[in-house]
Amino acid sequence: MDQSYCDRLRQDMYFLTSNGRLSEHLVDKIILQLNRVYPQILTNKEAEKFRNPKTLLHTRLSDLIKHLQNKGDRHCQEFYRALQINAEQVYNDLPSRRIIKTTDSTGIDTDKEQYILNDRGPMFFLACFSVAAGFALFMNCCNSGTKVVGGARKILGFSPIIIGRHVRNICMLYLEDTSRNK
């Protein structure tokens, strides 16, 4: 689980160099990013070598990966960052990424969990909270003596924001009926 970026790149090399995974355009974008954004990763001369259109894409990509592995872990990490920025789908499908995702100690798919938690939105939460608060207030008023009913009527009368007007009117009518019956 605690793999270095060079080890991960060694593991992902076959996947990345297989036909159709990365187009020539994407490889050029990754090389340009490593050269322009991180000039200490790839010099101009190295970038020209890896962008040479006369050389096969598979060969250029293999040579680039070997070159980065020889330079060290930080260089491999920047390659992964450039790959994620320019080809996110390929980055997510990497074999080393699948291993990291499956060795998650919680066993929860965070992308799916985020969707499950956020699909209803804040209005749903506020509506549920309002119903629960209204129900708790209502139960408190029903179980208490008649002296509290007057106080509850005041609270309900000034709370059109907390609970809806229809719910407030129903609670007020119920409180009036219970106070008449006692």
Side-chain angles (χ1 to χ4, degrees), residues 38-64:
Y38 308 105
Q40 67 276 15
I41 303 293
L42 279 181
T43 63
N44 287 336
K45 186 177 179 181
E46 292 167 337
E48 286 176 20
K49 173 185 164 190
F50 296 124
R51 292 187 69 215
N52 183 1
K54 294 177 183 175
T55 309
L56 290 173
L57 178 64
H58 181 280
T59 306
R60 288 189 288 149
L61 188 56
S62 297
D63 291 345
L64 172 66

Side-chain angles (χ1 to χ4, degrees), residues 25-40:
H25 177 71
L26 281 174
V27 172
D28 284 346
K29 283 174 70 174
I30 291 169
I31 291 169
L32 286 174
Q33 181 170 351
L34 291 174
N35 175 244
R36 291 183 181 152
V37 178
Y38 308 105
Q40 67 276 15

Side-chain angles (χ1 to χ4, degrees), residues 5 7 28-29 31 44 48 51 59 62-64 66-67 94 97-99 122 130 146-147 154 172 181-182:
Y5 286 98
D7 293 337
D28 284 346
K29 283 174 70 174
I31 291 169
N44 287 336
E48 286 176 20
R51 292 187 69 215
T59 306
S62 297
D63 291 345
L64 172 66
K66 288 175 188 172
H67 175 77
L94 290 171
R97 294 278 304 157
R98 278 192 241 134
I99 290 171
S130 297
T146 57
K147 292 181 181 178
K154 289 178 186 176
M172 293 289 282
N181 291 339
K182 290 184 180 180

Side-chain angles (χ1 to χ4, degrees), residues 46-147:
E46 292 167 337
E48 286 176 20
K49 173 185 164 190
F50 296 124
R51 292 187 69 215
N52 183 1
K54 294 177 183 175
T55 309
L56 290 173
L57 178 64
H58 181 280
T59 306
R60 288 189 288 149
L61 188 56
S62 297
D63 291 345
L64 172 66
I65 291 172
K66 288 175 188 172
H67 175 77
L68 293 173
Q69 287 172 334
N70 290 337
K71 281 199 162 185
D73 204 45
R74 183 168 182 279
H75 293 74
C76 295
Q77 181 181 9
E78 296 306 333
F79 173 80
Y80 276 111
R81 184 172 291 144
L83 181 65
Q84 183 179 15
I85 291 169
N86 294 296
E88 188 171 356
Q89 187 59 44
V90 174
Y91 176 78
N92 289 332
D93 291 340
L94 290 171
S96 63
R97 294 278 304 157
R98 278 192 241 134
I99 290 171
I100 291 172
K101 284 183 182 179
T102 57
T103 57
D104 185 14
S105 61
T106 60
I108 297 173
D109 185 6
T110 54
D111 296 333
K112 187 176 181 183
E113 184 69 20
Q114 183 180 10
Y115 173 74
I116 290 171
L117 293 176
N118 295 335
D119 67 343
R120 296 234 169 98
M123 291 307 293
F124 179 76
F125 169 76
L126 289 175
C128 290
F129 181 74
S130 297
V131 168
F135 185 69
L137 184 61
F138 180 73
M139 291 304 292
N140 186 27
C141 293
C142 291
N143 292 334
S144 301
T146 57
K147 292 181 181 178

